[in-house]
Amino acid sequence: MEVFGTVAAAYARHRPDYADAAARWAIETAPGSRVLDLGAGTGKLTATLLAAGAEVTAVEPDPAMLARLRAAFPRVPAAGGSAESIPLPDASVDAVVAGNALHWFDMAVAGPEIARVLTPGGVLAGLWNVLDDRVGWVAGLARVAGDAVVGPRDTPAAWRAATAGLLSASQQRAEFAHGQVRTADSLVATLATRAGLLVMASPQREATLRRIREFLAGQPETADGEFVLPMLTCGLRARWR
């Protein structure tokens, strides 16, 4: 989504990475180690895939996001492109993985294009970081922030409902415990990079962020110093050729 390029620096600084176990799960059934990080953003998932032993190629449509990725990972092949137009040869990767991006793809076009670049037996996987609203204060944050900030794939139950059958009837899913060390200020900065806030009119955006700050200041878990934001990395995967 092109709007993210307007906050590329904040995105790189504040968005969470992905659970290591989730990245390993996403690619463990692939026939080889060549992995395309599709819609790679600033490289949050790229880093985790590299740590999992993958040979990563990154594709990202937004020039500002892509520049951040290239600066952070100069040895990773990275190109401009999209899920609907992937600048790679046929059968050139063993897995395609998308981090918090698969729901933006036009799968009527992207599905065949992803199949084109995958080797036989290749895997398509999507990973999403979601807030663990089974924790009381996180559930309260979701209510205060509103649907524009904590959207239809941003909590575990909502994610399960929104992604049912997204890849195929035979898709596999898994959820992995995760967390991000935050302060109240850095959590507000993280939420400010969400698409729903980025497209808000300025007065509404400022009012929403002010409401979130006031909520965090009133919670014993978040009022002072660092805390761990409880999260899950949720995943789907399917054979795609």
Side-chain angles (χ1 to χ4, degrees), residues 74-208:
R75 296 185 180 181
V76 171
S82 67
E84 297 77 17
S85 181
I86 302 172
L88 295 181
D90 295 358
S92 57
V93 296
D94 303 298
V96 174
V97 186
N100 278 80
L102 191 63
H103 52 277
W104 297 116
F105 299 170
D106 177 358
M107 289 304 291
V109 180
E113 183 69 347
I114 290 167
R116 179 185 66 78
V117 301
L118 280 170
T119 57
V123 170
L124 170 60
L127 298 178
W128 288 261
N129 282 322
V130 307
L131 302 178
D132 190 352
D133 64 348
R134 298 171 298 182
V135 177
W137 74 263
V138 179
L141 173 64
R143 289 192 296 272
V144 167
D147 293 344
V149 182
V150 181
R153 288 164 299 274
D154 291 334
T155 59
W159 173 82
R160 293 183 204 112
T163 58
L166 180 62
L167 297 185
S168 71
S170 60
Q171 69 186 17
Q172 297 173 302
R173 65 173 63 225
E175 300 175 9
F176 301 87
H178 196 30
Q180 184 186 27
V181 176
R182 298 280 78 183
T183 63
D185 286 343
S186 66
L187 179 50
V188 170
T190 302
L191 296 174
T193 68
R194 299 251 173 157
L197 273 170
L198 293 176
V199 299
M200 276 185 187
S202 181
Q204 184 183 2
R205 181 169 60 252
E206 291 307 313
T208 301

